[in-house]
PDB file of all heavy atoms in Angstrom:
ATOM      1  N   VAL A  97      17.780  11.341 -35.486  1.00  0.00           N
ATOM      2  CA  VAL A  97      16.888  10.940 -36.574  1.00  0.00           C
ATOM      3  C   VAL A  97      15.603  10.332 -36.010  1.00  0.00           C
ATOM      4  O   VAL A  97      14.486  10.623 -36.482  1.00  0.00           O
ATOM      5  CB  VAL A  97      17.607   9.946 -37.511  1.00  0.00           C
ATOM      6  CG1 VAL A  97      16.611   9.315 -38.482  1.00  0.00           C
ATOM      7  CG2 VAL A  97      18.712  10.647 -38.283  1.00  0.00           C
ATOM      8  N   ILE A 100      13.368  13.156 -34.394  1.00  0.00           N
ATOM      9  CA  ILE A 100      12.770  14.027 -35.411  1.00  0.00           C
ATOM     10  C   ILE A 100      11.629  13.318 -36.123  1.00  0.00           C
ATOM     11  O   ILE A 100      10.538  13.869 -36.312  1.00  0.00           O
ATOM     12  CB  ILE A 100      13.845  14.465 -36.425  1.00  0.00           C
ATOM     13  CG1 ILE A 100      14.854  15.415 -35.760  1.00  0.00           C
ATOM     14  CG2 ILE A 100      13.205  15.150 -37.624  1.00  0.00           C
ATOM     15  CD1 ILE A 100      16.070  15.707 -36.614  1.00  0.00           C
ATOM     16  N   GLN A 167      -2.524  18.998 -28.506  1.00  0.00           N
ATOM     17  CA  GLN A 167      -3.294  18.592 -27.333  1.00  0.00           C
ATOM     18  C   GLN A 167      -3.031  19.527 -26.157  1.00  0.00           C
ATOM     19  O   GLN A 167      -3.959  19.922 -25.447  1.00  0.00           O
ATOM     20  CB  GLN A 167      -2.945  17.152 -26.955  1.00  0.00           C
ATOM     21  CG  GLN A 167      -3.677  16.654 -25.712  1.00  0.00           C
ATOM     22  CD  GLN A 167      -3.333  15.209 -25.383  1.00  0.00           C
ATOM     23  OE1 GLN A 167      -2.803  14.503 -26.212  1.00  0.00           O
ATOM     24  NE2 GLN A 167      -3.623  14.805 -24.162  1.00  0.00           N
ATOM     25  N   ARG A 288       2.321   2.353 -29.519  1.00  0.00           N
ATOM     26  CA  ARG A 288       2.253   3.265 -28.385  1.00  0.00           C
ATOM     27  C   ARG A 288       2.200   2.432 -27.101  1.00  0.00           C
ATOM     28  O   ARG A 288       1.486   1.447 -27.015  1.00  0.00           O
ATOM     29  CB  ARG A 288       1.000   4.142 -28.458  1.00  0.00           C
ATOM     30  CG  ARG A 288       1.045   5.193 -29.566  1.00  0.00           C
ATOM     31  CD  ARG A 288      -0.266   5.960 -29.575  1.00  0.00           C
ATOM     32  NE  ARG A 288      -0.248   6.984 -30.602  1.00  0.00           N
ATOM     33  CZ  ARG A 288       0.086   8.247 -30.378  1.00  0.00           C
ATOM     34  NH1 ARG A 288       0.467   8.606 -29.168  1.00  0.00           N
ATOM     35  NH2 ARG A 288       0.064   9.141 -31.351  1.00  0.00           N
ATOM     36  N   HIS A 328     -43.382  30.795   2.250  1.00  0.00           N
ATOM     37  CA  HIS A 328     -43.841  31.633   3.364  1.00  0.00           C
ATOM     38  C   HIS A 328     -45.336  31.461   3.596  1.00  0.00           C
ATOM     39  O   HIS A 328     -45.801  31.313   4.743  1.00  0.00           O
ATOM     40  CB  HIS A 328     -43.504  33.095   3.066  1.00  0.00           C
ATOM     41  CG  HIS A 328     -43.946  34.024   4.151  1.00  0.00           C
ATOM     42  ND1 HIS A 328     -43.337  34.079   5.387  1.00  0.00           N
ATOM     43  CD2 HIS A 328     -44.963  34.954   4.182  1.00  0.00           C
ATOM     44  CE1 HIS A 328     -43.937  34.978   6.146  1.00  0.00           C
ATOM     45  NE2 HIS A 328     -44.929  35.538   5.427  1.00  0.00           N
ATOM     46  N   ALA A 351     -61.112  20.858  31.051  1.00  0.00           N
ATOM     47  CA  ALA A 351     -62.433  20.391  31.473  1.00  0.00           C
ATOM     48  C   ALA A 351     -62.350  19.007  32.107  1.00  0.00           C
ATOM     49  O   ALA A 351     -62.974  18.734  33.146  1.00  0.00           O
ATOM     50  CB  ALA A 351     -63.372  20.372  30.266  1.00  0.00           C
ATOM     51  N   GLY A 375     -64.825   1.647  65.496  1.00  0.00           N
ATOM     52  CA  GLY A 375     -64.056   1.892  66.722  1.00  0.00           C
ATOM     53  C   GLY A 375     -62.586   1.682  66.479  1.00  0.00           C
ATOM     54  O   GLY A 375     -62.171   1.093  65.498  1.00  0.00           O
ATOM     55  N   GLN A 400     -22.540 -15.808  54.124  1.00  0.00           N
ATOM     56  CA  GLN A 400     -21.770 -14.576  54.010  1.00  0.00           C
ATOM     57  C   GLN A 400     -20.509 -14.731  54.826  1.00  0.00           C
ATOM     58  O   GLN A 400     -20.511 -15.364  55.882  1.00  0.00           O
ATOM     59  CB  GLN A 400     -22.599 -13.395  54.504  1.00  0.00           C
ATOM     60  CG  GLN A 400     -21.924 -12.041  54.325  1.00  0.00           C
ATOM     61  CD  GLN A 400     -22.843 -10.907  54.746  1.00  0.00           C
ATOM     62  OE1 GLN A 400     -23.968 -11.153  55.121  1.00  0.00           O
ATOM     63  NE2 GLN A 400     -22.340  -9.701  54.696  1.00  0.00           N
ATOM     64  N   ASN A 517       5.428 -10.658  28.181  1.00  0.00           N
ATOM     65  CA  ASN A 517       4.008 -10.654  27.798  1.00  0.00           C
ATOM     66  C   ASN A 517       3.786 -11.289  26.430  1.00  0.00           C
ATOM     67  O   ASN A 517       2.805 -11.995  26.206  1.00  0.00           O
ATOM     68  CB  ASN A 517       3.482  -9.216  27.796  1.00  0.00           C
ATOM     69  CG  ASN A 517       2.843  -8.850  29.137  1.00  0.00           C
ATOM     70  OD1 ASN A 517       2.556  -9.709  29.955  1.00  0.00           O
ATOM     71  ND2 ASN A 517       2.641  -7.570  29.351  1.00  0.00           N
ATOM     72  N   GLN A 541      22.935 -24.438  25.242  1.00  0.00           N
ATOM     73  CA  GLN A 541      22.640 -25.737  25.853  1.00  0.00           C
ATOM     74  C   GLN A 541      23.432 -26.847  25.164  1.00  0.00           C
ATOM     75  O   GLN A 541      23.898 -27.793  25.814  1.00  0.00           O
ATOM     76  CB  GLN A 541      21.131 -26.027  25.737  1.00  0.00           C
ATOM     77  CG  GLN A 541      20.236 -25.040  26.475  1.00  0.00           C
ATOM     78  CD  GLN A 541      20.165 -25.286  27.970  1.00  0.00           C
ATOM     79  OE1 GLN A 541      21.192 -25.495  28.625  1.00  0.00           O
ATOM     80  NE2 GLN A 541      18.973 -25.260  28.515  1.00  0.00           N
ATOM     81  N   PHE A 555      22.297 -23.883  15.311  1.00  0.00           N
ATOM     82  CA  PHE A 555      21.030 -23.155  15.378  1.00  0.00           C
ATOM     83  C   PHE A 555      21.278 -21.725  14.910  1.00  0.00           C
ATOM     84  O   PHE A 555      22.029 -20.980  15.541  1.00  0.00           O
ATOM     85  CB  PHE A 555      20.471 -23.165  16.804  1.00  0.00           C
ATOM     86  CG  PHE A 555      20.206 -24.554  17.333  1.00  0.00           C
ATOM     87  CD1 PHE A 555      21.176 -25.239  18.071  1.00  0.00           C
ATOM     88  CD2 PHE A 555      19.006 -25.200  17.074  1.00  0.00           C
ATOM     89  CE1 PHE A 555      20.944 -26.508  18.553  1.00  0.00           C
ATOM     90  CE2 PHE A 555      18.773 -26.478  17.552  1.00  0.00           C
ATOM     91  CZ  PHE A 555      19.743 -27.143  18.295  1.00  0.00           C
ATOM     92  N   TYR A 568      19.637 -15.336  -2.821  1.00  0.00           N
ATOM     93  CA  TYR A 568      18.958 -16.116  -3.867  1.00  0.00           C
ATOM     94  C   TYR A 568      18.372 -15.199  -4.940  1.00  0.00           C
ATOM     95  O   TYR A 568      18.435 -15.499  -6.141  1.00  0.00           O
ATOM     96  CB  TYR A 568      17.853 -16.958  -3.224  1.00  0.00           C
ATOM     97  CG  TYR A 568      17.097 -17.832  -4.190  1.00  0.00           C
ATOM     98  CD1 TYR A 568      17.724 -18.866  -4.875  1.00  0.00           C
ATOM     99  CD2 TYR A 568      15.741 -17.623  -4.412  1.00  0.00           C
ATOM    100  CE1 TYR A 568      17.022 -19.674  -5.752  1.00  0.00           C
ATOM    101  CE2 TYR A 568      15.034 -18.429  -5.287  1.00  0.00           C
ATOM    102  CZ  TYR A 568      15.679 -19.458  -5.954  1.00  0.00           C
ATOM    103  OH  TYR A 568      14.980 -20.250  -6.820  1.00  0.00           O
ATOM    104  N   PHE A 627      23.330 -31.548   6.036  1.00  0.00           N
ATOM    105  CA  PHE A 627      24.440 -31.562   5.087  1.00  0.00           C
ATOM    106  C   PHE A 627      24.820 -32.979   4.667  1.00  0.00           C
ATOM    107  O   PHE A 627      25.370 -33.179   3.578  1.00  0.00           O
ATOM    108  CB  PHE A 627      25.659 -30.866   5.693  1.00  0.00           C
ATOM    109  CG  PHE A 627      25.364 -29.487   6.207  1.00  0.00           C
ATOM    110  CD1 PHE A 627      25.663 -29.132   7.514  1.00  0.00           C
ATOM    111  CD2 PHE A 627      24.762 -28.551   5.401  1.00  0.00           C
ATOM    112  CE1 PHE A 627      25.390 -27.874   7.999  1.00  0.00           C
ATOM    113  CE2 PHE A 627      24.486 -27.280   5.863  1.00  0.00           C
ATOM    114  CZ  PHE A 627      24.792 -26.944   7.166  1.00  0.00           C
ATOM    115  N   THR A 664      41.769 -28.958   0.708  1.00  0.00           N
ATOM    116  CA  THR A 664      42.028 -30.313   0.193  1.00  0.00           C
ATOM    117  C   THR A 664      40.765 -30.973  -0.343  1.00  0.00           C
ATOM    118  O   THR A 664      40.814 -31.764  -1.290  1.00  0.00           O
ATOM    119  CB  THR A 664      42.634 -31.180   1.305  1.00  0.00           C
ATOM    120  OG1 THR A 664      41.751 -31.164   2.445  1.00  0.00           O
ATOM    121  CG2 THR A 664      43.999 -30.643   1.713  1.00  0.00           C
ATOM    122  N   ALA A 725       8.754 -19.150  28.224  1.00  0.00           N
ATOM    123  CA  ALA A 725       8.941 -17.963  29.065  1.00  0.00           C
ATOM    124  C   ALA A 725       9.782 -18.282  30.305  1.00  0.00           C
ATOM    125  O   ALA A 725      10.693 -17.529  30.670  1.00  0.00           O
ATOM    126  CB  ALA A 725       7.587 -17.399  29.471  1.00  0.00           C
ATOM    127  N   VAL A 755      17.139  -5.416  13.246  1.00  0.00           N
ATOM    128  CA  VAL A 755      15.941  -5.151  12.470  1.00  0.00           C
ATOM    129  C   VAL A 755      14.871  -6.147  12.876  1.00  0.00           C
ATOM    130  O   VAL A 755      15.116  -7.357  12.919  1.00  0.00           O
ATOM    131  CB  VAL A 755      16.224  -5.282  10.949  1.00  0.00           C
ATOM    132  CG1 VAL A 755      14.956  -5.029  10.161  1.00  0.00           C
ATOM    133  CG2 VAL A 755      17.314  -4.319  10.543  1.00  0.00           C
TER     134      VAL A 755
END
Side-chain angles (χ1 to χ4, degrees):
V97 169
I100 291 170
Q167 178 179 344
R288 289 178 179 265
H328 180 71
Q400 185 176 358
N517 266 346
Q541 297 281 46
F555 300 93
Y568 181 64
F627 307 126
T664 56
V755 179

